[in-house]
């Protein structure tokens, strides 16, 4: 082919072909690309290999080969290729970014981040698309390690670029923002603070900031650092360093800087509380946390022990499905039987499960044993006492096995035997259970941050006021506590900390409110647009309590103000967000039906609301309503294959039909125990394969997940 000698060389080093060492071999590129585009990846790799042997300077070939190897997951060869590439062109952004991927395969996230940032620094104004694609892998890796700030900045960069992964990056971000397992404070990187107007270091700060804005993060970092070394410890400089530490995936440093900022008395008090809370969220061993214990008891005869446990009043036998297939760490087999230790809640209304016991029989080389995992410190004595009561001879040992951050402290599990059979009653039951116990439990747990005291014990200790505020800020950031009013009120009262004051913001300035503050914007005087703006923005960051209040207000507004000002389509959209947040199944159905009526009245397609209602009636075993909605769907959308496909998917999900579309024999709607979507706080009776039990061994997902689903699911490139 004819080559424009003055075009940029495809190896990515920024030189023109004429001046690059690729000059002699780049004519072979077309041939290789034809193979790749024709799907002949393996022959293309062979060809590239021989080209590289023949022309060791062919950086363009190394660049293409590296990209193919990344796609194929050929880590060993990729490493060799990247090392060759870097030796040849140490400052080539593509070489650096491919080396970053190698570091990721070696599980070295900070090194991968630094190489990626070096690739940015070495890039011209425009960062090469493949470098950004590789940066998305940094985002994924950071997310999987729960380094949410870092995951965000990289994913945002990818989402803002038109590259292969920009859509995935967007959905990854929205997945993260809506995840109840991600603390609200981790959904927004602390902002870069401005310098005081009269600072004599202002110019140096501006230089660093300009580099930062230009994505020359490593250079910005050293400028901020040198400012700090010369004695400028102003929050503006620390906030710059914090931003750089986020890009560098350096959590220890983020934590240090957040802590230093939280101690700076020139900052607003609420900002300081939040920064201190962030410090705790970044820590490997958070101080607002409590210990989890693993108990073991040994005894000679397993059958006798089983009988004794069965006979014990405070202990209930589990049914098979709760422990079958359960594999505790270090155990090769499933337990022989399982038991729950139950205890009445303080108000006497419920019995709560405080420990799950798993009994192992004698196997070839071990004695029978009883194991109890993840007992929170507060329940330790009760569980031990129950075991001793049943097995007075047994020797019980305890180990601290883990810690659980207070903000994700388990909501508690009610005694399964007392759960209502009717799925319609289940949600209010679980909500009542959490209301009745959670606030009290969370306030009675000793916390290292409060010098071992609980929130309730520290309530009158003035020297711990700031720390108490921090703990309350941590609890407020849990999605679920926004919908459960009672526990949060209990916590405010018990800790003697006020809720955050309302913010009075003129409607035209709502855009300046941080996501985390949406919940305290004063509603009075905000018009339709503003009500919706807050609704949708809060929805984006998973603040269901805020959505519930503001969407409700927007809908109320629409009902009383017909006219140009009200956009009926947006009202219907608000209904779709608002309806599922109602406190009972009946109320959800009412909201959905009301929304459909509104949509029909304004000639708007109510499909989304109808689908929600259809699914909801299925979940709540409303056979009659389910049939009626099915008929309605057929009447209205019978010849829309997409809608019918969605209906089939829902029915498949609840086991009503087989994947081939044939009805399944024994699955009436009443048996469909689907994922209860809104209130999944208290672990549902049999949640997932681990039998409703969260065990730290069972994976890296956050403890006490508020929803049955893990957060990492969407974070796979290639999934839709
Ligand atoms: Zn070149």
């Amino acid at each position: 082919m004819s080559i424009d000698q003055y075009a940029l060389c495809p190896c990515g080093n920024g030189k023109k072909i004429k001046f690059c060492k690729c000059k002699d071999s780049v004519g072979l590129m077309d041939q290789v690309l034809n193979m790749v585009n024709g799907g002949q990846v393996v022959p293309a790799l062979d060809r590239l290999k021989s080209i590289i042997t023949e022309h060791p300077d062919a950086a363009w070939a190394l660049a293409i080969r590296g990209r193919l190897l990344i796609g194929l997951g050929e880590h060993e060869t990729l490493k060799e290729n990247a090392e060759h590439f870097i030796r040849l062109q140490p400052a080539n952004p593509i070489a650096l970014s491919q080396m970053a991927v190698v570091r990721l395969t070696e599980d070295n996230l900070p090194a991968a981040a630094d190489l990626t940032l070096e690739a940015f620094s070495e890039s011209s104004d425009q960062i090469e698309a493949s470098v950004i694609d590789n940066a998305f892998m940094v985002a994924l890796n950071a997310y999987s390690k729960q380094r949410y700030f870092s995951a965000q900045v990289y994913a945002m960069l990818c989402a803002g670029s038109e590259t292969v992964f920009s859509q995935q990056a967007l959905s990854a971000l929205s997945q993260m923002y809506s995840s109840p397992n991600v603390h609200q404070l981790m959904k927004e990187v602390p902002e870069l603070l401005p310098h005081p107007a009269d600072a004599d270091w202002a110019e140096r700060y501006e230089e660093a900031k300009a580099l930062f804005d230009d994505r020359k993060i490593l250079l910005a970092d050293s400028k901020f650092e040198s400012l700090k070394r010369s004695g400028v410890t102003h929050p503006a400089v620390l906030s710059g360093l914090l931003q750089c530490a986020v890009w560098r995936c350096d959590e220890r440093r983020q934590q240090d800087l957040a802590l230093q900022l939280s101690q700076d008395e020139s900052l607003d008090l609420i900002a300081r509380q939040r920064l201190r809370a962030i410090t705790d969220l970044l820590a490997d061993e958070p101080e607002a946390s409590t210990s989890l214990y693993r108990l073991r008891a040994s005894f000679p005869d397993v059958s006798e022990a089983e009988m004794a446990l069965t006979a014990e009043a405070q202990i209930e036998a589990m049914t098979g499905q709760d422990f079958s297939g359960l594999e505790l760490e270090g155990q090769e087999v499933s337990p022989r039987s399982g038991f729950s230790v139950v205890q009445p809640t303080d108000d006497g209304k419920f019995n709560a499960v405080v420990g799950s016991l798993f009994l192992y029989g004698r196997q070839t080389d071990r004695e029978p044993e009883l194991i109890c995992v993840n007992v929170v410190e507060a329940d330790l004595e009760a569980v031990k006492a129950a075991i001793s009561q049943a097995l007075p001879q047994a020797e019980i040992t305890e180990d601290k096995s883990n810690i659980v951050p207070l903000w994700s402290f388990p909501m508690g599990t009610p005694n399964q035997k007392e759960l209502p059979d009717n799925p319609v009653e289940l949600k209010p039951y679980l909500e009542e259970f959490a209301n009745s116990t959670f606030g009290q439990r969370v306030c009675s747990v000793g916390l290292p941050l409060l010098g071992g005291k609980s929130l309730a014990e520290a309530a009158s200790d003035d020297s711990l006021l700031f720390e108490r505020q921090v703990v309350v800020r941590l609890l407020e950031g849990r999605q679920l506590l926004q919908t459960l009013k009672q526990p949060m009120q209990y916590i405010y009262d018990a800790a003697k900390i006020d809720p955050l004051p309302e913010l009075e913001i003129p409607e035209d300035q709502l855009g300046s409110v941080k996501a985390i503050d949406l919940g305290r914007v004063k509603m009075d005087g905000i018009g339709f647009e503003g009500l919706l703006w807050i609704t949708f923005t809060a929805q984006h960051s998973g603040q269901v309590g805020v959505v519930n209040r503001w969407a409700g207000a927007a809908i109320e507004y629409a009902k009383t103000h017909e006219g140009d000002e009200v956009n009926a389509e947006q009202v219907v959209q608000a209904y779709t967000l608002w309806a599922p947040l109602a406190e009972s199944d009946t109320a959800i159905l009412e909201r959905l039906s009301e929304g459909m009526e509104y949509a029909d009245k304004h000639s708007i397609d109510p499909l989304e609301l109808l689908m929600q209602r259809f699914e909801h009636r299925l979940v709540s075993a409303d056979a009659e309503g389910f049939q009626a909605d099915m008929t309605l769907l057929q009447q209205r959308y019978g010849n829309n294959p997409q809608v019918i496909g969605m209906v089939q998917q829902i029915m498949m999900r609840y086991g009503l039909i087989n994947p081939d579309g044939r009805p399944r024999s024994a699955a009436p709607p009443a048996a469909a125990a689907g994922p209860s979507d809104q209130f999944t706080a208290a672990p549902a009776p049999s949640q997932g394969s681990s039998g409703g039990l969260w065990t730290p061994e069972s994976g890296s997902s956050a403890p006490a997940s508020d929803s049955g689903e893990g957060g990492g699911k969407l974070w796979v490139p290639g999934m839709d």
Side-chain angles (χ1 to χ4, degrees):
M1 73 172 203
S2 65
I3 291 170
D4 176 2
Q5 294 282 327
Y6 292 92
L8 282 180
C9 185
C11 72
N13 69 351
K15 290 183 186 167
K16 296 189 165 62
I17 290 176
K18 191 177 165 61
F19 305 109
C20 187
K21 287 183 177 164
C22 299
K23 186 174 58 171
D24 300 336
S25 59
V26 77
L28 301 167
M29 191 170 79
D30 258 4
Q31 188 195 359
V32 173
L33 288 183
N34 279 338
M35 289 166 119
V36 175
N37 295 335
Q40 295 174 285
V41 176
V42 178
L45 280 169
D46 288 342
R47 184 74 191 104
L48 285 165
K49 198 175 171 191
S50 68
I51 292 173
I52 293 162
T53 315
E54 216 172 306
H55 305 271
D57 286 347
W60 66 269
L62 292 163
I64 297 178
R65 187 163 175 249
R67 200 136 120 206
L68 295 176
L69 292 169
I70 290 173
L72 292 174
E74 298 268 0
H75 298 159
E76 278 311 306
T77 326
L78 173 65
K79 184 174 181 184
E80 180 198 305
N81 192 77
E83 280 166 355
H84 182 169
F85 198 176
I86 287 251
R87 265 199 312 277
L88 204 60
Q89 300 193 357
N92 182 324
I94 298 178
L96 289 162
S97 120
Q98 292 187 356
M99 192 49 107
V101 178
V102 172
R103 294 291 172 256
L104 287 179
T105 66
E106 296 166 350
D107 203 29
N108 190 344
L109 178 62
D114 273 6
L115 281 159
T116 303
L117 297 176
E118 248 184 272
F120 293 172
S121 293
E122 297 295 344
S123 295
S124 52
D125 300 344
Q126 185 93 14
I127 299 176
E128 161 79 25
S130 77
V131 173
I132 293 185
D133 288 343
N134 293 344
F136 183 54
M137 299 201 192
V138 176
L140 294 178
N141 194 282
Y143 187 80
S144 71
K145 293 189 157 63
Q146 301 178 20
R147 289 173 166 43
Y148 297 121
F149 286 155
S150 303
Q152 257 167 105
V153 294
Y154 283 96
M156 274 177 188
L157 173 74
C158 302
S161 325
E162 306 250 312
T163 63
V164 189
F165 294 128
S166 50
Q167 274 308 314
Q168 275 99 322
L170 265 181
S171 65
L173 281 168
S174 85
Q175 170 101 355
M176 196 201 107
Y177 292 141
S178 57
S179 168
N181 299 330
V182 181
H183 193 279
Q184 205 63 51
L185 281 170
M186 295 308 285
K187 295 178 184 171
E188 207 169 14
V189 182
E191 60 191 347
L192 186 64
L193 300 170
H195 62 78
D198 56 353
D200 57 6
W201 43 271
E203 201 174 316
R204 288 168 69 199
Y205 173 94
E206 287 300 334
E207 276 169 24
K209 182 175 179 300
L211 286 166
F212 182 87
D213 292 342
D214 217 13
R215 304 229 181 283
K216 314 285 187 217
I217 311 290
L218 295 175
L219 298 172
D221 196 18
S222 57
K223 282 239 179 241
F224 281 126
E225 188 57 49
S226 89
L227 261 173
K228 190 181 172 217
R229 261 202 314 274
S230 63
V232 185
T233 52
H234 190 273
V237 173
L238 298 182
S239 72
L241 286 166
L242 175 56
Q243 298 264 333
C244 294
V246 168
W247 280 95
R248 299 186 69 176
C249 299
D250 185 341
E251 257 202 334
R252 183 63 52 82
R253 203 158 151 66
Q254 290 168 41
Q255 201 193 329
D256 282 353
L257 288 157
L259 182 63
Q260 285 179 52
L261 280 163
S262 76
Q263 290 161 346
D264 194 308
E265 290 183 3
S266 70
L267 291 180
D268 164 71
L269 182 61
I270 294 169
R272 289 181 51 210
Q273 294 162 8
R274 287 174 172 167
L275 283 158
R276 182 63 187 83
I278 285 170
T279 307
D280 215 50
L281 291 166
L282 289 166
D284 289 335
E285 297 210 348
E287 289 179 83
S289 65
T290 183
S291 299
L292 293 177
Y293 288 82
R294 167 179 285 235
L295 301 177
R296 292 168 179 270
S298 54
F299 35 80
D301 188 316
V302 71
S303 316
E304 267 177 34
E306 197 162 53
M307 279 196 295
L309 288 165
T310 310
E312 176 60 38
Q314 262 198 292
I315 295 178
E316 305 254 8
M318 287 182 188
T319 55
Q321 70 212 34
D322 294 324
F323 59 85
S324 61
L326 179 80
E327 271 183 50
L328 294 184
E329 190 191 305
Q331 306 297 321
E332 285 108 41
V333 292
S334 297
R336 162 193 173 113
S337 46
F339 300 86
S340 304
V341 180
V342 294
Q343 217 193 8
T345 55
D346 288 339
D347 59 9
K349 284 193 203 160
F350 297 92
N351 283 305
V353 175
V354 291
S356 301
L357 310 175
F358 299 102
L359 188 62
Y360 290 85
R362 184 189 295 278
Q363 275 120 38
T364 42
D365 58 346
R366 49 165 291 182
E367 295 297 305
E369 194 176 23
L370 185 71
I371 299 182
C372 183
V373 292
N374 296 333
V375 184
V376 291
E377 192 161 15
D379 298 327
L380 192 58
E381 288 315 314
V383 175
K384 280 186 351 198
I387 298 174
S388 299
Q389 186 76 27
L391 309 171
Q393 259 86 59
E395 198 178 303
I396 305 175
T397 59
E398 64 185 57
D399 291 310
K400 266 192 200 185
S401 60
N402 214 320
I403 56 175
V404 56
L406 190 69
W407 79 271
S408 59
F409 193 75
M411 297 303 284
T413 312
N415 184 2
Q416 291 179 34
K417 298 235 160 70
E418 292 166 18
L419 287 178
D421 290 332
N422 182 347
V424 180
E425 289 162 21
L426 183 63
K427 186 177 148 171
Y429 182 90
L430 292 175
E431 191 158 336
E432 179 60 24
F433 176 80
N435 276 331
S436 152
T437 66
F438 185 73
Q440 200 152 27
R441 273 172 75 77
V442 104
C443 288
S444 63
V445 172
L447 306 172
L449 185 63
L450 301 176
K453 291 184 184 173
S454 68
L455 265 182
E457 286 162 352
S460 46
D461 188 339
D462 285 345
S463 70
L464 290 171
L465 175 63
F466 182 72
E467 284 76 12
R468 254 158 44 219
Q469 287 165 332
V470 170
V471 175
V472 171
R473 299 291 93 90
L474 281 166
L475 289 165
E476 285 168 341
R478 180 174 186 167
Q479 193 186 84
L480 192 78
L481 286 178
Q482 296 187 2
T483 41
L484 295 175
K485 288 285 168 334
Q486 289 178 35
M488 209 57 235
Q489 194 51 54
Y490 185 98
I491 292 162
Y492 290 131
D493 293 344
K496 295 202 179 128
I497 298 295
D498 291 330
L500 292 173
E502 275 194 320
L503 288 176
E504 209 163 327
I505 312 273
E507 184 160 359
D508 60 353
Q509 282 165 41
L510 285 177
S512 67
V513 180
K514 288 179 162 193
I516 192 147
D517 285 323
L518 291 173
R520 57 196 192 103
V521 173
K522 196 170 171 190
M523 201 182 273
D524 296 354
I526 305 267
F528 180 70
E529 297 250 320
L531 293 170
L532 279 180
W533 188 85
I534 294 212
T535 301
F536 296 135
T537 316
Q539 170 72 14
H540 180 69
S541 61
Q543 302 184 70
V544 288
V546 185
V547 174
N548 192 23
R549 283 200 304 124
W550 288 77
I555 287 165
E556 198 51 47
Y557 190 102
K559 283 196 252 175
T560 47
H561 297 70
E562 295 282 340
D564 295 347
E565 183 196 4
V566 172
N567 178 332
E569 247 170 72
Q570 288 182 320
V571 177
V572 173
Q573 231 181 312
Y575 267 111
T576 64
L577 304 179
W578 182 60
L581 303 177
E583 66 281 2
S584 70
D585 278 19
T586 326
I588 291 176
L589 286 176
E590 273 168 17
R591 286 183 181 184
L592 287 168
S593 302
E594 186 190 308
M596 284 183 55
E597 228 169 86
Y598 182 93
D600 280 339
K601 189 173 149 202
H602 293 83
S603 314
I604 292 165
D605 186 2
L607 176 61
E608 209 178 318
L609 291 163
L610 179 54
M611 288 302 269
Q612 272 193 33
R613 195 173 72 179
F614 172 71
E615 182 166 356
H616 197 77
R617 286 179 155 163
L618 178 55
V619 175
S620 56
D622 170 5
E624 219 169 285
F626 171 77
Q627 282 304 338
D629 276 354
M630 184 69 138
T631 310
L632 197 56
L633 278 161
Q634 258 154 4
Q635 277 168 4
R636 288 197 177 193
Y637 307 96
N639 35 24
N640 183 336
Q642 225 182 327
V643 175
I644 298 307
M646 275 155 49
V647 170
Q648 278 170 347
Q649 266 182 10
I650 290 177
M651 291 177 58
M652 234 152 63
R653 202 181 315 146
Y654 294 100
L656 287 185
I657 54 172
N658 289 319
D660 61 7
R662 280 183 304 115
R664 266 179 47 182
S665 41
S676 102
D677 46 354
Q678 290 317 315
F679 188 83
T680 44
S686 60
Q687 188 185 71
S689 55
S690 60
L693 252 195
W694 167 73
T695 56
E697 296 93 330
S698 68
S700 62
S701 67
S705 65
D706 286 352
S707 99
E709 289 175 56
K713 218 171 75 191
L714 260 183
W715 285 76
V716 182
M719 282 183 70
D720 50 29

